[in-house]
Amino acid sequence: MSNLKLVELPVVEPEAVPCCPPVTSAALSEADSVRMAAMFKALADPVRLRLFSRVASHEGGEACVCDIQDVGVSQPTVSHHLKKLREAGLLTSERRGTWVYYRVAPEALAAMAGLLSAAR
């Protein structure tokens, strides 16, 4: 028997900072427009939007692929769509044993929300 003790460490989330000024306040730079277009393009697919929504709304803020894969497409297609969401910077992932857990990247949500908010 081992004398090792399991200690749970807190998860530190980076503070989410919008990348861009609201679209009504200033023109986007070329770099910002490329970055934001990739995010919106990834979400423009109905299956990806459903997967993103399932991760975002899942209890605890993260979801195992085993809990969100029932979106009407095959498992390899789900993996493809999750990969596209990760590549666009919308999701982060962590492998735990045989399963992969996904979280919404807080900076991505902040960037999209900031861009679409009205300037004050």
Side-chain angles (χ1 to χ4, degrees), residues 5-120:
K5 189 177 182 184
L6 181 64
V7 177
E8 197 167 315
L9 299 174
V11 176
V12 178
E13 295 285 337
E15 187 172 318
V17 178
C19 78
C20 318
V23 73
T24 57
S25 70
L28 284 174
S29 70
E30 184 176 347
D32 285 343
S33 65
V34 168
R35 179 175 171 223
M36 296 307 297
M39 289 182 189
F40 287 114
K41 182 178 179 181
L43 288 175
D45 182 281
V47 172
R48 289 184 199 148
L49 186 56
R50 287 183 65 206
L51 287 167
F52 184 78
S53 171
R54 285 183 175 205
V55 172
S57 64
H58 204 270
E59 185 178 329
E62 72 174 4
C64 173
V65 69
C66 60
D67 295 329
I68 61 170
Q69 65 186 1
D70 185 23
V71 290
V73 296
S74 68
Q75 190 281 323
T77 303
V78 168
S79 293
H80 167 76
H81 286 304
L82 289 168
K83 177 183 175 187
K84 292 296 185 181
L85 290 168
R86 276 193 339 267
E87 288 173 347
L90 294 166
L91 295 179
T92 61
S93 64
E94 178 185 351
R95 179 172 291 283
R96 297 182 199 155
T98 59
W99 296 108
V100 178
Y101 288 78
Y102 292 89
R103 288 183 155 283
V104 171
E107 62 277 3
L109 280 180
M112 289 188 299
L115 178 68
L116 295 177
S117 67
R120 295 176 201 220

